[in-house]
Amino acid sequence: MSRRALVAALCLSVAVVAAGCAAPGGSGDSAPTLTATDATDANALIRAHTETLRSNSFTARSKTTARDANGTFRVVTTQTWRVDPGRPVRASATRTHAVVGDAPDRYEQRPDEVTAWRRGNETTVRVESGNDSRVHAVALLNSSVRLNQALHRQLLYGLSASRNATVENVTRNGTRLYRVRAELNDTHVSSNASMTLLVDPEGYVRQVETTRTVAYRSGPRVVTRTVRFSRIGETRVERPPWA
């Protein structure tokens, strides 16, 4: 083999190895993008999470449960985002809610389902209530398919107000993860707050759980939320037939 061919082969080998190290969902044998220390640093965590998911398609699922302190009602809101951050950005988001018990009227009046679709900066929303369905265009800033919202950056930033944060190594389906547990500082509207995260060393958060007691005018409510990120690099986002 000539010297030029040998150099080219070595360069190709290095490129292939580097690509394998960078791709999410690998074996975890290579040096991690995130260290255990990074996993408890809100800024480092959000930066790695954002950079990883801005170059890979992903699915995010959220479940939020709010119940009053007396246990007279419970409101459960579920949301799913499917995002392909390529150009043009394509994304869909669906939100539903269920009410159990004697909840305030405003919860009962919410639509059964709201679905948003985005291609580039164009967004369309379908609102379903009972047998009625309405479709209309909306401004991107008023829609639920913004990338930062799907990434849940604001939720993750709550880690910056943590105390007594601990991190440990755990294994899920053969993959090594960091589990971060933290108590959060009280604010003028919330107390008894805590956060638990499962962080993939390859650069993104797999799951975040939060719980807190929130002060409402009608009385305190316990709010719990779980967000899971999955199908990294494998999520397909297709235009719905109504858009």
Side-chain angles (χ1 to χ4, degrees):
M1 179 182 293
S2 67
R3 182 175 180 180
R4 178 178 297 178
L6 178 60
V7 171
L10 288 174
C11 291
L12 178 60
S13 298
V14 170
V16 170
V17 170
C21 293
S27 63
D29 294 334
S30 58
T33 299
L34 282 170
T35 66
T37 300
D38 292 334
T40 60
D41 181 333
N43 290 323
L45 183 67
I46 292 171
R47 183 167 56 250
H49 179 78
T50 301
E51 290 175 355
T52 299
L53 298 188
R54 275 184 171 169
S55 57
N56 290 279
S57 63
F58 65 91
T59 298
R61 293 183 173 87
S62 169
K63 180 179 180 180
T64 303
T65 301
R67 58 180 176 83
D68 69 325
N70 297 324
T72 57
F73 72 87
R74 184 172 72 253
V75 179
V76 180
T77 303
T78 59
Q79 293 181 272
T80 299
W81 292 262
R82 294 181 176 83
V83 180
D84 183 344
R87 292 291 180 266
V89 175
R90 289 176 298 164
S92 65
T94 301
R95 182 180 74 245
T96 63
H97 83 283
V99 178
V100 178
D102 187 18
D105 290 341
R106 66 177 178 275
Y107 293 114
E108 298 286 358
Q109 296 169 357
R110 289 180 177 178
D112 297 331
E113 181 174 292
V114 178
T115 305
W117 157 255
R118 171 184 179 182
R119 185 180 187 280
N121 291 329
E122 298 179 359
T123 58
T124 308
V125 171
R126 181 177 68 172
V127 180
E128 296 183 75
S129 296
N131 295 324
D132 295 330
S133 177
R134 295 180 290 109
V135 177
H136 59 281
V138 298
L140 177 59
L141 292 178
N142 296 328
S143 72
S144 59
V145 284
R146 302 185 303 278
L147 185 56
N148 282 346
Q149 186 176 14
L151 290 170
H152 291 77
R153 289 162 53 95
Q154 184 175 1
L155 179 65
L156 295 176
Y157 192 70
L159 186 63
S160 64
S162 67
R163 51 192 171 87
N164 302 326
T166 62
V167 59
E168 60 182 321
N169 290 318
V170 298
T171 302
R172 295 289 185 272
N173 299 321
T175 300
R176 181 173 63 88
L177 305 171
Y178 304 123
R179 179 163 58 197
V180 180
R181 290 184 171 132
E183 299 174 6
L184 306 182
N185 295 327
D186 291 346
T187 69
H188 67 287
V189 295
S190 70
S191 59
N192 302 319
S194 63
M195 174 179 285
T196 301
L197 304 99
L198 289 178
V199 181
D200 195 307
E202 292 183 339
Y204 65 97
V205 176
R206 286 203 177 190
Q207 179 175 305
V208 54
E209 298 179 359
T210 62
T211 183
R212 68 187 69 232
T213 300
V214 181
Y216 283 80
R217 291 182 179 178
S218 57
R221 297 177 195 169
V222 178
V223 180
T224 60
R225 187 176 189 185
T226 301
V227 180
R228 295 184 175 90
F229 292 87
S230 62
R231 298 193 61 78
I232 311 302
E234 299 178 351
T235 296
R236 296 185 60 183
V237 185
E238 298 179 350
R239 179 186 292 272
W242 48 265

